[in-house]
């Protein structure tokens, strides 16, 4: 797929939205305005947006504990998300899920997930639905180097191959599972190779490069839509923040975060590429940045103003009927 | 003279009854018996009912005391005139052979319901009897089925063909009642009679089935030799809406039991098995919709909308009406409006006289059939 | 009315619902069997034959044989349920929940709540429970108390063929995740089962027997043991009311409490283990809400706090018996007399 100007500006806006969202969540969390834990996605935006720009509302994704980026990329309402993070009425999940359980099935977002390796089996199921009902949709499991070591992930890869399902497994290798290096924890140090061992086509792709992710995802998703079965991508990426907000990050090298932001920022990479190719001008990108910043501020203001959930909400939505 | 000695045996009520329990003797040994007297209460898994004396005599010997459970056909008591010697009675009892053991090998298998493919879906029916008499067709009421005629059909099947039909939406018939209106049911009944080769019949209808029988008589008078209507719907607007709504809505055992209790004069008649059968019926796919539809079409706003019996009575069809004095579903007083009909109001019965006062109802039907022959 | 086994009743329920709704699929290990072998398809039809023949009518697209991969089966079923199918997944032995419970209790059970009421997960997990076949400690448990304790799950435990069919159809049509427990020794039990489809609502106990002296609450195979005990006790003049809850989540608390209000005495019979089990739960319910009605201490008859043993002689001791139930009834009936 050739990306036109609208596609490009849309992709940039979405990546910038994720970045700004996470930066402001970090601020608000630090101030104590957001309860619980948050796991920030900043640095990995090209992966979510590169993949999700091929997906429609009928396509399904499952995400991880680091799920804000995937949610935004899949079209979840940013204000609804912010209200959810604040634990307020009107949040995307009514304040019952929080950061780790953002979901919107109308947008095909089957949930962030508090369990590492929780999502891949679910995506096998979403792909099974697509195949059984003859929908031309696909299902994508966003997961990471951490989940690449979980048995549930292995089982999901195998079953997707056995049943030849339209599933795509995106391993975002951000080099850390909590505070342990992927270089230590991923025995083969090769997640794509591991996926290939299950019989899936699998490629490694540079997560700094939106265009590389976009192209690799296009190939995998088209194959799935055409009935060609599952694929895997290993996106080599980085996170700018800790495992969770407030993580002291003692496992990092000195200066590592500064270096990542300078050398491996996928937004900077994107700006450079589109300007060099003469596809978008800086003012257009700056306008997008300003729009996004305003959007996020409105979301935060709305979240701050919203009341907490009605106490009655404690008891609802456990069952559809009981 | 053993010819003067009569054995009273365990009856078979309904298709599935294989044994019964003697609940209570209502007459002591030595009592002089008059036909129509209630003699003994028999309890089955389905129902408890009293057996009545059929011919005069003295209750000489009770061989099955209260509390005993015996198979169908087993000896319960011996009836004979007072002058028959005790030794004769002893010999009779000693020599009595229950027909059951024999029946298992020689008799035809018990009749089982059959299905017919009708123009409006499959209908279940139970056929019994044959002979020159005008056939009798039995039509049950709302939420019931052909099993409700367990005391009636065997008595009528002597010398004539009898058909008990499961109405659309009921029993083993298809549960789709379409519009659920009188025309649909009457069409389905007429169609079933066509397929069963019944040109002319005496119709016995209970409650809602009574209204349908009257409706068929109005539409095809040549086909109906007479009507026996038992606590029929379709006479006047009044009906116990609490019963209708309760029956339509009840889904728990307790609620069903409470609603069924409204049907009878003696609540003990409603056994746990009857309640369970109704529950099981109501759980079948399509039944809730059928019941709701029928209630809405026939009894909107808690009033009867289709006075088919009143219309049939006006048309002069030969008709008898039997009601229980204590009917809490459709008041027995409605019988008075049917001046042209033979009217019988039975004491000690509710909405189910054909079960509560089975022998009396059977006699009334037999007499009416004989008079019309 | 035709007599059918529990196995036939379940098979009929599955077939009727699959005919009625193309979204219903069966997925699990050897639900047909024979995939990828030189032998025949439908070689198993479920390890104890419950799903036999379904693949012939519905094909491998809807009767889905999987590898031995319980996490992926449960996860796939949960994900499929949340996106538009109505899967009936088979967890061959309930003991195997240990390898796949995340997908059941962290995912399927919690979607609706975590997602603010926006998800529906019409998932059924059929699974075998029960001791009595010398299948030993990892193939004989009855862990329905675990499923019962999870908010978001429903738990169904039929004791006869009539209930099995009506409850399974209800489970398939239900929009919440349901764990459907089948006792492995009861598949051949027969009862009258209508050919037509029907549903039995959840949370509605079956009063198997009416009685005035002692209330017995029993589940699954224990219903039959308790019925036998009650029969014998009736001859001694002790009149037991026997309640089969049918579902432990939701639980028909009214029927239990109403009964104890009349009898004042309660015996709970459960093939599961005693700690934090269903018997403990029901005992707590009654102690909390019907204390004033109680005329004797509540008695629980359960398996001991041990794994299920292998040797038939030991296993026999492990499973509650008709005798131990009768003894418990005697104890409570005799208390204070």
């Amino acid at each position: 797929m050739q990306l036109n100007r609208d596609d490009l500006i849309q992709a940039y806006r979405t990546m910038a939205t994720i970045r700004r969202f996470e930066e402001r969540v970090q601020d608000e969390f630090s101030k104590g305005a957001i309860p619980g834990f948050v796991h920030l996605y900043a640095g990995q935006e090209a992966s979510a947006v590169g993949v999700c720009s091929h997906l429609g509302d009928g396509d399904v994704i499952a995400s991880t504990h680091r799920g804000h980026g995937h949610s935004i990329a899949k079209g979840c309402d940013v204000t609804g998300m912010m209200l959810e993070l604040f634990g307020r009425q009107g949040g995307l999940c009514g304040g019952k899920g929080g950061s780790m359980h953002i979901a919107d099935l109308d947008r095909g977002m089957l949930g962030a997930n508090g369990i590492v390796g929780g999502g891949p089996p679910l995506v096998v199921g979403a792909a099974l639905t697509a195949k059984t009902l003859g929908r031309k949709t696909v299902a994508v499991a966003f997961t990471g180097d951490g989940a690449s070591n979980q048995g549930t992930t292995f089982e999901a890869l195998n079953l997707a191959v056995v049943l030849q399902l339209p599933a795509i497994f995106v391993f975002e290798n951000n080099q850390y599972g909590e505070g342990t290096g992927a270089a230590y924890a991923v025995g083969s140090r090769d997640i794509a190779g591991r996926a290939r061992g299950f019989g899936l086509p699998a490629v490694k792709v540079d997560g700094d490069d939106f265009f590389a992710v976009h192209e690799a995802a296009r190939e995998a998703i088209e194959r799935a839509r055409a009935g060609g079965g599952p694929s895997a991508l290993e996106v080599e990426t980085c996170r700018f923040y800790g495992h969770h907000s407030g993580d002291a990050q003692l496992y990092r090298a000195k200066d590592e975060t500064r270096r990542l932001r300078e050398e491996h920022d996928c937004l900077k990479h994107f700006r450079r590429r589109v300007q060099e190719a003469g596809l978008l001008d800086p003012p257009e990108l700056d306008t997008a940045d300003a729009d996004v910043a305003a959007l996020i501020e409105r979301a935060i203001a709305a979240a701050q103003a919203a009341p907490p959930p009605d106490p009655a909400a404690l008891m609802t939505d456990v069952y559809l009927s009981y | 003279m053993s010819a003067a000695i009569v054995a009273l045996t365990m009856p078979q009520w309904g298709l599935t009854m294989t044994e019964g329990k003697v609940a209570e003797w209502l007459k002591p040994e030595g009592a002089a018996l008059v036909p129509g007297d209630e003699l003994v209460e028999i309890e089955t898994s389905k129902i408890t009912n009293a057996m009545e004396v059929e011919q005069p005599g003295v209750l000489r010997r009770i061989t099955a005391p209260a509390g005993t459970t015996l198979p169908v056909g087993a000896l319960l008591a011996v009836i004979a005139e007072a002058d028959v010697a005790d030794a004769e009675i002893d010999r009779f009892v000693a020599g009595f052979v229950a027909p059951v053991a024999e029946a298992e090998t020689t008799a035809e298998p018990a009749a089982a319901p059959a299905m017919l493919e009708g123009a409006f879906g499959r209908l279940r029916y139970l056929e019994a009897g044959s002979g020159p008499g005008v056939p009798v067709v039995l039509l049950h009421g709302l939420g019931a089925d052909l099993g409700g005629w367990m005391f009636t059909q065997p008595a009528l099947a002597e010398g004539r063909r009898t058909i008990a039909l499961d109405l659309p939406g009921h029993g083993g018939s298809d549960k789709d009642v379409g519009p659920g209106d009188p025309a649909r049911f009457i069409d389905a009944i007429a169609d079933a009679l066509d397929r069963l080769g019944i040109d002319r019949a005496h119709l016995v209808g209970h409650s809602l089935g009574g209204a349908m029988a009257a409706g068929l008589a109005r539409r095809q008078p040549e086909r109906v030799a007479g009507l026996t209507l038992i606590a029929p719907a379709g006479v006047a607007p009044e009906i116990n809406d609490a019963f209708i709504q309760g029956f339509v809505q009840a889904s728990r055992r307790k609620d069903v039991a409470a609603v069924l209790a409204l049907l009878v004069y003696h609540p003990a008649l409603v056994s746990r098995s009857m309640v369970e059968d109704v529950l099981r019926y109501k759980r079948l796919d399509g039944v809730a919709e059928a019941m709701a539809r029928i209630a809405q079409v026939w009894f909107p706003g808690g009033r009867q909308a289709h006075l088919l019996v009143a219309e049939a009575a006006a048309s002069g069809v030969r008709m008898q009406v039997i009601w229980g004095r204590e009917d809490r579903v459709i008041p027995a007083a409605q019988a008075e409006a049917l001046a042209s009909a033979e009217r019988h109001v039975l004491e000690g019965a509710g909405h189910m006289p054909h079960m509560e006062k089975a022998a009396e109802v059977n006699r009334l039907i037999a007499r009416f059939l004989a008079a019309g022959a | 009315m035709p007599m059918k086994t529990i196995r036939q009743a379940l098979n009929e329920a599955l077939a009727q619902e699959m005919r009625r709704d193309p979204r219903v699929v069966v997925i699990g290990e050897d639900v047909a069997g024979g995939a990828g072998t030189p032998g025949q398809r439908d070689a198993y039809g479920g390890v104890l034959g419950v799903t036999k023949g379904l693949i012939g009518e519905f094909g491998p697209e809807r009767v889905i044989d999987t590898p031995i991969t319980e996490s992926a089966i449960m996860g796939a079923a949960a994900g499929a349920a949340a996106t538009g199918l109505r899967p009936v997944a088979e967890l061959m032995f309930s003991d195997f929940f240990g390898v796949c419970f995340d997908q059941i209790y962290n995912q399927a059970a919690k979607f609706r709540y975590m997602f603010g009421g926006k998800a529906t997960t019409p998932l059924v997990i059929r699974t075998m429970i029960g001791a009595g076949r010398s299948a030993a400690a990892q193939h004989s448990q009855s862990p329905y108390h675990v499923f019962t304790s999870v908010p978001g799950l429903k738990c169904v435990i039929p004791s006869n063929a009539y209930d099995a069919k009506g409850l399974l159809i209800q489970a398939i049509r239900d929009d919440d995740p349901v764990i459907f427990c089948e006792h492995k020794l009861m598949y051949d039990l027969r009862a009258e089962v209508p050919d037509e489809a029907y549903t039995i609502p959840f949370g509605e106990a079956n009063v198997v027997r009416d009685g005035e002296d002692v209330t017995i609450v029993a589940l699954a195979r224990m219903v039959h043991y308790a019925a036998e005990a009650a029969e014998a006790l009736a001859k001694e003049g002790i009149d037991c009311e026997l309640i089969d809850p049918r579902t432990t989540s939701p639980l028909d608390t009214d029927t239990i409490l109403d009964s104890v209000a009349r009898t004042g005495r309660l015996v709970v019979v459960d093939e599961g283990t005693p700690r934090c089990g269903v018997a403990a739960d029901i005992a707590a319910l009654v102690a909390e809400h019907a204390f004033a009605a109680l005329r004797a201490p509540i008695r629980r008859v359960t398996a001991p706090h041990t794994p299920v043993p292998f040797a038939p002689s030991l296993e026999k001791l492990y499973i509650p018996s008709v005798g131990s139930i009768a003894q418990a009834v005697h104890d409570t009936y005799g208390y204070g007399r």
Side-chain angles (χ1 to χ4, degrees), chain B residues 202-215:
Chain B
H202 184 89
L203 306 183
V204 178
H206 172 238
S207 197
L208 185 67
M212 291 175 187

Side-chain angles (χ1 to χ4, degrees), chain C residues 6-317:
Chain C
I6 289 184
R7 180 185 290 105
Q8 289 168 326
L10 295 171
N11 184 280
E12 193 171 280
L14 289 166
Q16 286 177 340
E17 288 309 290
M18 290 179 84
R19 271 174 221 136
R20 179 178 176 271
D21 186 344
R23 298 170 300 171
V24 178
V25 300
V26 167
I27 182 168
E29 296 155 8
D30 284 316
V31 289
T37 70
Q40 54 182 317
R41 284 299 263 148
D42 215 12
Y44 274 59
V47 69
L48 290 183
V50 172
T51 47
K52 189 90 178 167
L54 295 179
I55 196 170
E57 182 173 354
F58 302 103
E61 300 281 310
R62 294 181 64 200
V63 181
I64 303 164
D65 273 328
T66 68
I68 296 172
T69 185
E70 283 88 8
S71 279
I73 297 166
M74 295 306 133
T83 54
L85 291 182
R86 305 186 79 89
V88 181
E90 184 168 321
L91 176 61
M92 192 182 289
F93 290 88
S94 60
D95 313 66
F96 303 169
F97 87 83
V99 295
C100 59
F101 206 41
D102 178 66
Q103 294 294 328
I104 300 171
Y105 102 114
N106 269 326
Q107 311 295 339
K110 294 181 171 60
F111 283 161
R112 187 166 185 79
Y113 196 82
M114 291 191 303
F115 302 165
K118 286 186 210 144
T120 50
T121 312
L123 162 67
V124 180
I125 298 171
R126 292 183 39 245
T127 191
M128 264 193 282
I129 57 167
R133 272 190 85 164
S134 280
Q138 297 172 343
H139 289 76
S140 301
Q141 297 169 85
S142 297
Y144 39 68
H145 60 294
V146 179
F147 311 137
T148 304
S149 72
V150 178
L153 295 182
K154 294 176 178 175
C155 186
V156 179
I157 311 166
S159 70
N160 62 70
Y162 173 79
D163 286 0
K165 179 174 172 181
L167 290 168
L168 182 55
I169 292 177
Q170 175 63 38
I172 294 170
R173 295 182 190 175
D174 202 282
D175 281 326
D176 293 309
V178 178
I179 313 283
F180 193 92
C181 300
E182 303 165 10
H183 198 294
K184 62 175 76 66
L185 262 71
M186 291 170 60
Y187 282 118
D188 291 317
L189 278 189
R190 278 171 200 279
E192 287 188 351
V193 177
D195 292 333
E196 294 167 89
Y198 59 93
T199 55
I200 299 176
F202 292 165
E204 200 171 307
N206 183 27
V207 180
V208 180
R209 175 190 183 105
D210 295 309
E212 294 302 323
D213 294 331
V214 179
T215 301
I216 307 177
V217 179
L219 295 162
R221 192 169 173 225
M222 294 302 109
V223 174
H224 302 277
Y225 280 25
E228 202 179 323
E231 191 79 15
L233 290 158
K235 297 202 172 90
E236 302 171 26
I238 304 177
D239 187 19
C240 296
E241 179 145 304
L242 175 55
I243 296 172
D244 170 5
R246 288 186 177 133
T247 63
T248 52
S249 175
L251 179 69
D252 184 352
T253 56
D254 288 354
T255 295
I256 296 170
L257 293 172
D258 286 354
S259 177
V260 174
R262 277 185 288 106
T263 63
R265 295 180 161 82
L266 174 67
V267 172
V268 193
V269 192
D270 174 9
E271 195 184 312
T273 44
R275 301 300 311 282
C276 304
V278 169
D281 186 62
I282 291 171
L285 169 87
V286 170
E288 195 169 355
H289 297 286
F291 185 74
L294 285 172
R295 283 181 262 168
I298 297 164
R299 292 298 305 263
R300 291 183 295 148
V301 183
T302 69
H305 187 62
T306 69
V308 183
F310 165 69
S313 58
L314 293 177
E315 194 181 33
K316 196 159 175 251
L317 294 173

Side-chain angles (χ1 to χ4, degrees), chain B residues 67-78:
Chain B
T68 21
T69 297
L70 291 168
V72 168
L75 188 67
L76 303 179
V78 178

